[in-house]
């Protein structure tokens, strides 16, 4: 089972001065072209292209030196609500081995891959060496779908922007809904990431499963309320 998480805009600084280590070498060509294209941009052009405010100048500047930047495990690099709920530093190695993260810059990385801090979102357009302005989807084509589809069972927790970079046929997807006072349902937006982080922790720590019903059983065993509809799991909170 491979649990694919969304990335986060916020990323921990620092790390060690070691080389990047990335899984899925099939993605290396696009990774290299993105790193090169970012490094070739004057900083003001980069800020404009990535629609970054002046307060993010230092983070944007890091995009210019990615190959020489400090690295740390991807699962510790990404921060924020989902990763707080996941609490990866407290997970054992076998649980971490089930986790991967979608990324605009790297396509997909495993939890232990060593990556630098960067600033690039799934909706960004980076000017290419040939003068074109391709979307992230155009750059990645079918590569992300191909590498993820090679895993026999995927639970896809990526947000829509990152899922569209490489959808996985038959992957389990997750929707978070809350029950309102009148009994109706509403899609959870603000705390969506928190609940997905909790679910990812439960699944990574639990028994190996290979079906959406197996995912539901593990979630229910941990006290989560879930419903199954085809390949979609609805987490009711």
């Amino acid at each position: 089972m491979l649990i694919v998480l969304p990335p986060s805009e916020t990323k921990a600084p620092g790390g060690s001065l070691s080389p990047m280590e990335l899984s899925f070498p099939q993605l290396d060509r696009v990774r290299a072209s993105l790193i090169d294209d970012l490094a070739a941009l004057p900083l003001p052009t980069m800020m404009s292209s990535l629609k970054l405010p002046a307060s993010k100048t230092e983070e944007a500047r890091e995009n210019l030196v990615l190959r020489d930047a400090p690295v740390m495990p991807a699962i510790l690099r990404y921060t924020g609500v989902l990763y707080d709920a996941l609490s990866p530093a407290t997970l054992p190695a076998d649980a971490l081995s089930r986790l991967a993260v979608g990324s605009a810059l790297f396509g997909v990385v495993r939890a232990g891959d060593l990556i630098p801090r960067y600033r690039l979102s799934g909706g960004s357009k980076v000017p290419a060496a040939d003068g074109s302005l391709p979307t992230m989807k155009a750059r990645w084509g079918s590569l992300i779908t191909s590498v993820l589809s090679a895993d026999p069972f995927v639970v896809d927790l990526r947000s829509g922007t990152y899922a569209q970079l490489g959808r996985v046929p038959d992957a389990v997807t997750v929707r978070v809904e809350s029950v309102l006072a009148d009994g109706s349902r509403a899609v959870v937006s603000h705390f969506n990431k928190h609940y997905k982080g909790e679910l990812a922790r439960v699944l990574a720590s639990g028994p190996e499963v290979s079906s959406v019903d197996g995912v539901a059983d593990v979630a229910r065993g941990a006290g989560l309320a879930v419903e199954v509809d085809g390949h979609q799991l609805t987490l009711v909170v």
Side-chain angles (χ1 to χ4, degrees), residues 116-162:
R117 188 162 79 152
Y118 66 92
R119 189 76 187 207
L120 186 67
S121 71
S124 300
K125 294 181 180 180
V126 178
D130 63 4
S132 63
L133 192 63
T135 63
M136 288 297 115
K137 174 58 180 171
R139 283 183 179 264
W140 287 110
S142 61
L143 287 173
I144 296 174
T145 295
S146 178
V147 298
L148 290 179
S149 297
D151 196 280
F153 183 63
V154 174
V155 179
D156 191 352
L157 300 181
R158 292 174 298 169
S159 59
T161 298
Y162 289 93

Side-chain angles (χ1 to χ4, degrees), residues 14-221:
S16 63
L17 290 175
S18 302
M20 277 188 275
E21 292 183 8
L22 303 171
S23 302
F24 311 110
Q26 307 94 309
L27 305 178
D28 283 351
R29 178 184 58 80
V30 178
R31 291 164 170 166
S33 68
L34 278 166
I35 289 172
D36 289 343
D37 289 343
L38 285 169
L41 291 178
L43 187 59
T45 304
M46 183 190 299
M47 299 290 292
S48 175
S49 296
L50 303 186
K51 296 181 172 60
L52 297 178
S55 60
K56 301 300 180 184
T57 300
E58 288 308 309
E59 291 182 40
R61 199 185 304 276
E62 293 179 333
N63 283 349
L64 301 174
V65 291
L66 291 170
R67 285 194 173 88
D68 299 314
V71 296
M72 69 171 62
I75 202 66
L76 301 180
R77 178 67 76 189
Y78 296 104
T79 61
V81 174
L82 186 149
Y83 291 89
D84 287 344
L86 176 66
S87 188
T90 65
L91 288 173
D94 59 342
L96 292 174
S97 69
R98 295 178 177 176
L99 297 172
V101 184
S103 165
L105 181 60
F106 298 115
V108 187
V109 291
R110 292 191 182 275
D113 288 359
L114 299 179
I115 64 170
R117 188 162 79 152
Y118 66 92
R119 189 76 187 207
L120 186 67
S121 71
S124 300
K125 294 181 180 180
V126 178
D130 63 4
S132 63
L133 192 63
T135 63
M136 288 297 115
K137 174 58 180 171
R139 283 183 179 264
W140 287 110
S142 61
L143 287 173
I144 296 174
T145 295
S146 178
V147 298
L148 290 179
S149 297
D151 196 280
F153 183 63
V154 174
V155 179
D156 191 352
L157 300 181
R158 292 174 298 169
S159 59
T161 298
Y162 289 93
Q164 65 91 24
L165 297 184
R167 298 195 181 277
V168 186
D170 299 331
V172 174
T173 58
V174 176
R175 178 185 177 94
V176 184
E177 293 184 349
S178 62
V179 180
L180 303 181
D182 63 1
S184 62
R185 298 278 187 88
V187 175
V188 173
S189 55
H190 183 65
F191 290 107
N192 178 286
K193 294 178 181 179
H194 172 82
Y195 292 117
K196 285 187 174 180
E198 286 190 342
L199 178 63
R201 181 178 178 85
V202 165
L203 295 177
S205 305
E208 183 71 27
V209 296
S210 58
S211 69
V212 65
D213 290 325
V215 171
D217 288 343
V218 172
R220 289 174 183 137

